[in-house]
Each structure stands twice: as C-alpha cells, then as structure tokens.
Amino acid sequence: SQELEQSPQSLIVQEGKNLTINCTSSKTLYGLYWYKQKYGEGLIFLMMLQKGGEEKSHEKITAKLDEKKQQSSLHITASQPSHAGIYLCGADYNAGNMLTFGGGTRLMVKP
Amino acid sequence: EPEVTQTPSHQVTQMGQEVILRCVPISNHLYFYWYRQILGQKVEFLVSFYNNEISEKSEIFDDQFSVERPDGSNFTLKIRSTKLEDSAMYFCASTTGQINTEAFFGQGTRLTVV
C-alpha cells in the first residue's frame, strides 16, 4: 500500500459548490503540506500543518490536520474555475522537509 | 513576492549527454532541494542540500547526479550521462529552516532526453 493516499483521484464540480479532498498517511506525520499544481507547471504552496487538530484558511481554502496526525482534508468553499488544477499533499515524516507526495487530486470546476 | 526561479524551462538533450539544471533559491533561504516528476507520476524527492553539503538523498540520486552551489545564488543539478528514463520535470525548492518551514518550489525544468 502507498504511504500517502489522496482521494478522490479526480473531481468535477459545478462552480459555486463546496468540495473536500482527503490525504491519508499510513505513517505518523510530522507535518503535512498542501500544494496546487497546474498541468506542466510548478507547485504553488498553499498551507502547512503541523499540530494535530490544526486548521488553516486562506481565502476560500481551509485545511485541517486530524488529531491523530495521519489524515488531512482540504476544503474549498464556493469553488471557482480558478480553483481548477491538481492538488497535492506532501508529508514530512522525519522533520527534515523532505516531502513524500501523494498522487494528487485533479479538480475541474465547471462554469 | 520572492520566488524560486529555474532555468531553462525546457531542455532537450541527447542520451548520454550531460545536462545542468539551474535554480536560484529565495535569497534568505538556507536549505535547498531537488525533486522530479516523471510524466503522470508522483513528485519524488531527489536530494537536499545545506551548508554546501548533501543532507539527504534518495535512492534515485545515484552517481549520475550531483548538486552544487557554485556561488551565492545558484543551486545546480547535474546529470552526467542522461538516460531516456531521466526525462521528467525537475523542481527546485528552498526553505529557511530544516523543519517546520514553508517549502517553496520553482516552476520546474522539463527535461526531455531523446
């Protein structure tokens, strides 16, 4: 089984709808990062979570880290076409900023 | 806003040739990283670098790879003799500290080995 699994693999939502992406780790997390990637481009930093129960928000995006520090969710409120892209979670397993990435969730937002 | 910059954006090279990928990390950052993403696959860690030394490297980072910080601003990844399977997007990243710090990535260099 994979160390870091994201679900769903892909998601199509109507503009204005809310959505949630999950990232589940098979090992204890030291930190969890969320990035957005447009096809063929770089990774845009969204949020970093460290403590169990931590929750951070930026504009319409909220990320939470489960108290057992093995799962994170990314929630987008009132999605817009600009939210489309690939969302990647990256796990720090050994406090060294060397990240293990999940397979990504491809999000499409239909206008 | 400070950013990590990578050059070139796209490099095509013949199998067996040497390539050097260049990165300019954010100026006050001290830790530097290379990752790669083969088309359709996950982003994978290659190497981390601090204080002019490799801190960690993955099993992907074999003797064909090397990293260098030749001056105060550039951070390079060299592949000595490229193979077809080296074709990938290579990302440079930098952070201010080793732990609990935001990791910022560059736009990537798409390497195509023919």
Side-chain angles (χ1 to χ4, degrees), chain A residues 47-58:
Chain A
M47 271 168 277
M48 175 184 71
L49 304 164
Q50 294 160 246
K51 302 169 193 170
E54 187 173 18
E55 180 174 319
K56 288 186 178 176
S57 292
H58 176 66

Side-chain angles (χ1 to χ4, degrees), chain A residues 2 33 35 50 95 97 99, chain B residues 35 37 42 89 99-101 103:
Chain A
Q2 301 290 312
Y33 293 70
Y35 290 88
Q50 294 160 246
N97 270 341
L99 301 180
Chain B
Y35 288 78
Q37 185 178 33
K42 294 182 181 183
M89 194 77 151
I99 59 174
N100 303 337
T101 56

Side-chain angles (χ1 to χ4, degrees), chain A residues 50-97:
Chain A
Q50 294 160 246
K51 302 169 193 170
E54 187 173 18
E55 180 174 319
K56 288 186 178 176
S57 292
H58 176 66
E59 298 178 346
K60 294 185 178 178
I61 301 176
T62 301
K64 264 192 242 188
L65 186 60
D66 180 85
E67 289 204 12
K68 294 180 182 176
K69 293 183 69 175
Q70 287 184 296
Q71 187 173 45
S72 178
S73 60
L74 185 86
H75 185 78
I76 299 177
T77 304
S79 58
Q80 299 166 354
S82 60
H83 286 127
I86 301 168
Y87 288 82
L88 298 172
C89 62
D92 179 358
Y93 287 123
N94 55 9
N97 270 341

Side-chain angles (χ1 to χ4, degrees), chain A residues 1 7 11 21 24-25 28 31 35 38-39 46 54 56 65 67 72 90 97 101 108-110:
Chain A
S1 65
S7 62
L11 192 54
I21 298 167
T24 303
S25 174
T28 301
Y35 290 88
K38 292 200 169 172
Y39 181 75
L46 296 175
E54 187 173 18
K56 288 186 178 176
L65 186 60
E67 289 204 12
S72 178
N97 270 341
F101 282 91
M108 291 177 58
V109 180
K110 289 168 37 175

